[in-house]
Amino acid sequence: MKRIAVVASGRGSNFQAVIDAIRNGKVPAECAALITDNPKAYALERARKAGVPCRIIDYAAFPSREVYERALLATMQEANADLFVLAGYMRILGASIVMAFPGKIINIHPALLPCFTGLHAQRQAVQHGVKVAGCTVHFVDESLDGGPIILQKCVPVLDSDDEDALAERILSHEHQCLPESIRLFCEDRLVIEGRKVRII
Ligand code: GAR
């Protein structure tokens, strides 16, 4: 059974979807740790309820981003996970961390990448007037939301949508897409070939 560690900054609804999918036998994995940069993250509450060990690396307590990243890297190494899942981690992972775990970090993003990278992807989609939005799970490389794509789900944008309404509809698809991607990883069914991921 693969060991996964989830890295989250906030509410943690995607983390919850992963916990539930493991509990229901849909994902053959053990959730070995929740790592957060935010001591107030609601994800911590979810971890405690589910009995998942928590590691808090409080970004605000470090003198610089470099020192924070060193502590995060050490914590990730200690977690000894086969896969790190960024589920609402609202910072950019530094190159030293990405290079330490090649092909072992995935991220969920609330847009159909490569459109609308970075923060507030749903707001960008509404402002741009796209008719189709969605979510993407991808491997993390050194680019911003640019690593090889594992799965995507489409979500129609309605004329009545504001950022919040669209975000909520995308989120329900994220809760399917992320556990499904983790399942494929845990079943050794993801093969990275250059920029592409082949599902076998
Ligand atoms: C999710 O919509 C996730 O895709 C997004 O933050 C939200 C976290 O929700 N992530 C990003 O925007 C990363 N760039 P959650 O804490 O309830 O899982």
Side-chain angles (χ1 to χ4, degrees), residues 83-164:
L83 177 69
F84 294 93
V85 178
L86 309 188
Y89 178 62
M90 301 315 257
R91 299 183 188 282
I92 295 169
L93 268 193
S96 60
I97 295 181
V98 174
M99 284 185 318
F101 305 103
K104 288 175 107 184
I105 309 175
I106 65 172
N107 177 49
I108 177 108
H109 185 75
L112 291 176
L113 293 171
C115 282
F116 309 135
T117 58
L119 293 176
H120 309 301
Q122 307 94 328
R123 184 184 305 169
Q124 295 181 57
V126 169
Q127 285 175 350
H128 199 94
V130 294
K131 304 296 186 196
V132 181
C135 60
T136 303
V137 179
H138 63 95
F139 282 103
V140 173
D141 65 11
E142 286 167 49
S143 64
L144 175 63
D145 297 326
I149 290 171
I150 300 168
L151 287 180
Q152 294 186 300
K153 300 240 189 265
C154 293
V155 178
V157 182
L158 309 180
D159 288 342
S160 57
D161 271 343
D162 59 11
E163 178 185 351
D164 290 345

Side-chain angles (χ1 to χ4, degrees), residues 56 63-64 96 126 158 184 191 200:
I56 302 171
S64 67
S96 60
V126 169
L158 309 180
L184 291 169
V191 182
I200 56 175

